[in-house]
Amino acid sequence: MCEDDQHASDHGIGRRALFVTGAAAALTLGSVSFPDRAAEAAEAPGTSETRTVRGTLPPGAPDFVYLPVEVPSGVREIRVAYTYERPAVPAGTVGNALDIGIFDQRGIELGGKGFRGWSGGARTEFFLRADDATPGYLPGPVRAGTWHIALGPYTVAPQGLAYEVTITLTYGEPGETVKPVYPPSRARGRGRAWYRGDCHLHSWYSDGRRTPAEIAALARAAGLDFINTSEHNTHSSHAHWADQAGPHPDGELLILLGEEVTTRNGHVVALGTDPGTFIDWRYRARDNRFGKYARRIREAGGLVVPAHPHATCIGCNWKFGFGEADAVEVWNGAYGPDDEVSLADWDSMLVASVREGRGWIPAMGSSDAHRDPDPVGTPQTVVLADDLTREAIQEGIRAGRSYVAESKAVSLSFSATGPKGQHAGIGGRLKVDRDDPVTVRLEVSGAPRCTVRLVTDQGVLHTSPALPVSGSGTVEWRTTAQYAAYVRAEVRHEVAAGPLPGALAAFTNPVFLGR
């Protein structure tokens, strides 16, 4: 690049327009233009042009700031780099954090037709062209038209957020677009059986640090039968998992495709969507848009699973309600206080479903693993499914035929039986009269010195002695449907002292009692 090719411009607050994309207001800056050098590029391919844009965003800036880039014909590659200032701030005051992504000539309208990639704050530069792209971004032709670099001021310091964006266009023949190959929607299973999975994982295609191959190896080592890809606000990884599925000495792994839709009012996992499905995230709860995109997830064959609903990071706490949820991620990563709150909140939702006579929302657990030393499969959701297929696993999750365990070492068998031999397992309903005697039984293995708690709509009604050091044991409890509308089991670690319960080793979805 010649020095003469580099230009700089400042985008002050005065040079802007405010517009609405169908959700929250956004800021659009003045456009950046490049000369049309298609003829020159044909004679001297590889010629490049660079523009640099600088500006400052004030506190209270809109969620998204769009920088239009007029891309001429004959461009082979677009490359973007950015930096921003991180001034010191007083304790308790947010500093600067700026995310980035890009939309192509098809536009920035909500729904994402023009979406070409998002890396959030995980990368300082990216490129894309027909045959390749930075992880998080989608390969494809760089067609002429107005592209938009999307800046997301996640938090802004009191001093403002000073940024610099550098755009480089390289001219030449576009190259050949690679046809994506996706993993199959079924793997060789064991027929109707319990299958273990982790449905919330991040690779280097968003803010993780592991490759798909590394994640697949860790998943097999953790005893998993299936995983779900869930990159933040991008589906770019979908075409990079196919070679991790299929026959393997350690067993086949079913790889479901999805996305972690990361809004400013909480995160939701799109679980098991059709390959290549993108779900937009550019809205808040007050915009009343989530229902549309929850339906989009289901139309694409996926499940809607709010993630870590009581997480304490900025923008992570779930604010959209649970009316659209197919399941809820109650346990996220290493068990902590926010998971305890999520568990109690979910139990309150179970009580409400009984009181109001409506459907209930099953619980799940996932690792949300990003990088070493985050363990894959801690926790894991264990699902009773007819086979190891996308549809069968989703049906088992949706029906609540599942429990959550901290590792492959922990196994549970939980059921309720009536006086005439009636039987119901996890997620089922034991159809008995209100005063019929009911026996609840939990068999546990892999949980040494843990305590079993049986929880009903009244609360904890039975606590067992500690299990032996072998980790195996059986707990039985007798009740009636009149006394307990449902029963679920918790397996808890020992606690040194104090009134709080120990961390979970496992828990089940409920068995409902009554007609």
Side-chain angles (χ1 to χ4, degrees):
M1 178 186 67
C2 300
E3 186 66 28
D4 290 343
D5 291 334
Q6 189 166 359
H7 302 272
S9 62
D10 291 318
H11 282 70
I13 295 304
R15 294 185 60 191
R16 67 182 185 181
L18 202 62
F19 71 101
V20 174
T21 62
L27 182 71
T28 182
L29 305 172
S31 63
V32 178
S33 60
F34 286 80
D36 189 335
R37 290 192 168 180
E40 298 174 38
E43 298 179 2
T47 302
S48 65
E49 287 267 358
T50 294
R51 300 285 185 271
T52 298
V53 174
R54 302 180 184 91
T56 301
L57 299 173
D63 288 350
F64 301 101
V65 176
Y66 295 101
L67 174 61
V69 179
E70 302 299 334
V71 176
S73 59
V75 173
R76 179 175 182 268
E77 178 186 281
I78 182 167
R79 184 176 293 267
V80 177
Y82 82 119
T83 61
Y84 60 93
E85 293 183 2
R86 296 173 173 84
V89 296
T93 303
V94 297
N96 283 335
L98 184 64
D99 295 340
I100 197 167
I102 195 166
F103 291 76
D104 66 19
Q105 82 288 345
R106 291 171 292 179
I108 57 174
E109 288 75 17
L110 205 58
K113 288 183 179 180
F115 177 78
R116 290 295 294 272
W118 181 259
S119 49
R123 300 180 185 278
T124 58
E125 61 181 299
F126 63 86
F127 77 90
L128 52 89
R129 59 176 184 260
D131 63 342
D132 199 7
T134 299
Y137 294 81
L138 303 175
V142 182
R143 293 196 169 95
T146 303
W147 289 53
H148 289 83
I149 296 168
L151 301 175
Y154 193 66
T155 55
V156 179
Q159 301 95 317
L161 194 160
Y163 64 87
E164 178 180 291
V165 180
T166 300
I167 309 109
T168 300
L169 302 186
T170 300
Y171 298 84
E173 292 297 319
E176 188 172 341
T177 301
V178 178
K179 184 178 180 180
V181 178
Y182 302 112
S185 61
R186 63 171 51 244
R188 186 170 54 193
R190 305 180 296 276
R192 187 172 176 84
W194 292 93
Y195 295 98
R196 295 175 178 264
D198 190 344
C199 294
H200 188 168
L201 294 159
H202 296 278
S203 75
W204 67 0
Y205 285 91
S206 60
D207 62 341
R209 293 292 180 268
R210 291 166 173 153
T211 65
E214 290 169 334
I215 293 172
L218 290 169
R220 289 186 168 96
L224 302 184
D225 301 293
F226 66 93
I227 60 174
N228 178 71
T229 71
S230 55
E231 310 297 354
H232 292 286
N233 297 341
T234 180
H235 58 295
S236 64
S237 76
H238 287 193
H240 299 276
W241 284 96
D243 56 355
Q244 303 307 319
H248 190 276
D250 295 328
E252 291 197 15
L253 186 66
L254 174 66
I255 299 174
L256 307 177
L257 303 177
E259 177 187 334
E260 184 174 9
V261 184
T262 306
T263 80
R264 298 298 179 90
N265 284 161
H267 303 182
V268 61
V269 172
L271 196 165
T273 54
D274 294 336
T277 297
F278 168 70
I279 305 298
D280 213 321
W281 75 98
R282 294 171 294 160
Y283 43 84
R284 294 195 185 202
R286 66 191 181 206
D287 300 319
N288 197 28
R289 295 275 175 172
F290 177 66
K292 174 180 179 180
Y293 293 99
R295 290 190 294 274
R296 173 74 181 108
I297 292 171
R298 291 196 191 91
E299 288 167 359
L303 301 182
V304 178
V305 185
H308 45 65
H310 289 280
T312 56
C313 49
I314 296 173
C316 298
N317 193 282
W318 185 247
K319 302 292 188 182
F320 293 91
F322 296 93
E324 296 287 350
D326 295 304
V328 58
E329 185 191 78
V330 166
W331 184 353
N332 176 276
Y335 196 78
D338 57 321
D339 301 301
E340 191 69 35
V341 175
S342 295
L343 183 69
D345 193 29
W346 170 67
D347 191 74
S348 294
M349 289 193 286
L350 292 179
V351 174
S353 71
V354 170
R355 181 182 67 245
E356 298 167 11
R358 56 177 171 80
W360 63 286
I361 303 173
M364 296 183 63
S366 296
S367 72
D368 200 2
H370 283 69
R371 59 188 67 82
D372 292 340
D374 298 350
V376 171
T378 300
Q380 51 194 248
T381 300
V382 190
V383 183
L384 179 60
D386 289 335
D387 207 346
L388 189 53
T389 68
R390 168 187 166 189
E391 293 78 10
I393 293 295
Q394 289 176 321
E395 198 277 328
I397 292 172
R398 190 186 295 109
R401 295 196 306 268
S402 61
Y403 65 90
V404 180
E406 65 181 358
S407 74
K408 65 181 179 181
V410 182
S411 293
L412 305 181
S413 176
F414 186 54
S415 63
T417 56
K420 299 178 181 178
Q422 309 99 309
H423 179 275
I426 298 172
R429 176 173 289 276
L430 183 68
K431 295 183 178 180
V432 292
D433 292 333
R434 289 170 57 84
D435 56 355
D436 281 349
V438 172
T439 300
V440 177
R441 180 183 176 91
L442 177 71
E443 298 176 13
V444 187
S445 62
R449 302 300 302 166
C450 287
T451 297
V452 173
R453 306 201 315 173
L454 299 179
V455 187
T456 77
D457 54 312
Q458 293 189 65
V460 179
L461 291 184
H462 180 77
T463 302
S464 77
L467 295 170
V469 292
S470 67
S472 298
T474 300
V475 175
E476 284 193 354
W477 179 62
R478 289 172 176 79
T479 187
T480 64
Q482 179 173 304
Y483 193 58
Y486 63 82
V487 185
R488 60 180 184 83
E490 297 177 356
V491 182
R492 299 235 179 204
H493 288 285
E494 288 182 294
V495 61
L500 296 178
L504 280 177
F507 76 93
T508 71
N509 275 300
V511 178
F512 291 90
L513 308 180
R515 299 187 184 279

